[in-house]
Structure formats: C-alpha cells, structure tokens
C-alpha cells in the first residue's frame, strides 16, 4: 500500500499568511493526488485534484503542485474560513485509496 | 444539485450488525462508482469500501474485509454498507462519497456508528 505523510501535522498561522502543506508519498504516484478541506463536524470537501487542478468553486488562493512523490498545497493568503484540517489522498494505486494523516491549520 | 444522505447509524454492541444507507440524488447514480469512508473520533480519514457503477467489482480495506459488505440498488439510487461482527474500533462517522474524476466528490454529511456495550 502507498503511504502518505503530511507535514506539518499542525500549524498555527495568522489571517493573510501564506501557508504551505507538504504531502510525501512512499512511492511515485504521478499526479494522482487530491487535497481535501474538512471543518469540524462537516464532511471533507474536494479542493484540488490531479495535484494542481482546482475543483469548481474553490477560491483561487488555493493551489497545488508536485508530481511523483512530493506535493504541496499552498494557501496564498489565509482567510478566516480556511482554518480547518487538510488531507491529501492518492488515487494512483488502489485499493486502498489512502489519505495522509491530516494537517490542522489553526489561528495564531 | 448532487446530494448524498446517509442514514442507519446508531449504537450497537460488539459483535452486532448494522446496515448503513446512502440515498443519492441530482445525478445519474447508476453511472458512478461509490465509496464508503470512515473517521474515528478525533482521527483521520480511512477508506472503507468501493463498488463499481454496476456493482460488478467491490473492494474493501483489510480492516473490514470479511465483515463488511458494500452493495447498491441502482433502481432506488441507494448505496449500502452491511456491517457485521462489529468491534469497538469500528466506531466512527461513516461517509459515502461519489467516485469523481480525480477524487471523491461530493461526500454525504455522515452517520455516526458507535460500537459499545
């Protein structure tokens, strides 16, 4: 199975900050990576797929990059509604479809 | 719009059974594969099971293989998860999700399953 490791697991940031989250895969997954946002008590929401394609309706301050084994999710200017937990997911080799352990973004 | 609504969660004793349902609307249900994903309290996301659009292929996480069964009724636009031999570690919010291009989207609101004596 492919393992995904996110870093950091937790980060504290201020509104307006640029935030970067990294996701590393245990083996190459081409660009078959998705990013999700989850707020407390809510279902995850797809933000980015194919490593860098923004899902419809997602603000342009979110961007994704990478291929192979290393990927990043960047929020260019953190907004109050962006405080949440973010997960990466690989869709290259399945089953299983695996997720990273999550990165919680909190207000500094 | 596309909507997924789970139901059937509740409290069940260890060793018991429960059947979850996911009612789909707003899209051609019979054209899409579907997933179940769970999230234990305070933990991350764990993929549980997948079924192809026509039910011809099913896949399971090792943690539930032999105990859980995914199925669908395309005439009723409904996805199911039959959970048998439940354990404390199966306690989680269970989400159904559509197998969209490049990811899971959308997700239902989730239904809580608690396994406890």
């Amino acid at each position: 199975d492919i393992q995904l490791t996110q870093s950091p697991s937790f980060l504290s940031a201020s509104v307006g900050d640029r935030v970067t989250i990294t996701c590393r895969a245990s083996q190459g997954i081409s660009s078959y990576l998705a990013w999700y946002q989850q707020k407390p008590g809510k279902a995850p929401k797809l933000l980015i797929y194919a490593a860098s394609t923004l899902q419809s309706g997602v603000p342009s301050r979110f961007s994704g990059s990478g291929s192979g084994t290393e990927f990043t999710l960047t929020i260019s200017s953190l907004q109050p509604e962006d405080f949440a937990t973010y997960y990466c997911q690989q869709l290259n080799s399945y089953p299983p479809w695996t997720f990273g352990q999550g990165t919680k973004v909190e207000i500094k | 719009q596309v909507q997924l609504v789970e139901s059937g969660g509740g409290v069940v004793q260890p060793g018991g059974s429960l059947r979850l349902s996911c009612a789909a609307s707003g899209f051609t249900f019979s054209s899409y594969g579907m997933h179940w994903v769970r999230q234990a309290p305070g933990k991350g996301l764990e993929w549980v099971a997948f079924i192809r659009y026509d039910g011809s292929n099913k896949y399971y996480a090792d943690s539930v293989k032999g105990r859980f069964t995914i199925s669908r009724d395309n005439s009723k636009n409904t996805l199911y998860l039959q959970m048998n031999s439940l354990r404390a570690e199966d306690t989680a919010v269970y989400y159904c999700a559509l197998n969209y291009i490049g990811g899971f989207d959308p997700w239902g609101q989730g239904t809580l399953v608690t396994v406890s004596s």
Side-chain angles (χ1 to χ4, degrees), chain A residues 5-32:
Chain A
T5 303
Q6 291 181 231
S7 59
S9 294
F10 172 90
L11 74 86
S12 181
S14 301
V15 172
D17 283 353
R18 181 181 182 88
V19 168
T20 298
I21 299 168
T22 298
C23 177
R24 289 186 174 87
S26 59
Q27 57 188 273
I29 58 170
S30 186
S31 296
Y32 294 101

Side-chain angles (χ1 to χ4, degrees), chain A residues 1 32-34 36 38 41-46 48-50 55 87 89 91 94-101, chain B residues 35 37 39 43-47 49-50 59-62 95 99-110:
Chain A
D1 297 357
Y32 294 101
L33 188 100
Y36 298 86
Q38 186 180 33
K42 300 294 186 181
K45 172 187 172 185
L46 179 65
I48 288 170
Y49 61 94
Q55 175 67 328
Y87 294 92
Q89 179 200 27
L91 300 103
Y94 50 82
W97 287 259
T98 47
F99 294 90
Q101 83 278 12
Chain B
H35 297 270
V37 178
Q39 186 170 38
K43 302 297 185 182
L45 301 170
E46 180 188 17
W47 169 79
F50 168 76
Y59 302 112
Y60 300 92
D62 287 345
Y95 298 99
N99 189 56
Y100 182 70
I101 296 171
F104 295 6
D105 184 65
W107 300 52
Q109 86 287 353

Side-chain angles (χ1 to χ4, degrees), chain B residues 50-93:
Chain B
F50 168 76
I51 186 168
R52 270 177 53 117
Y53 68 97
D54 58 359
S56 60
N57 286 87
K58 305 173 184 181
Y59 302 112
Y60 300 92
D62 287 345
S63 57
V64 307
K65 202 172 293 183
R67 301 187 300 122
F68 290 12
T69 301
I70 189 171
S71 63
R72 64 191 299 159
D73 186 336
N74 285 346
S75 68
K76 295 182 178 179
N77 290 346
T78 303
L79 175 73
Y80 301 100
L81 186 68
Q82 177 67 44
M83 304 185 296
N84 298 330
S85 303
L86 283 161
R87 307 166 179 166
E89 54 265 35
D90 296 318
T91 294
V93 174

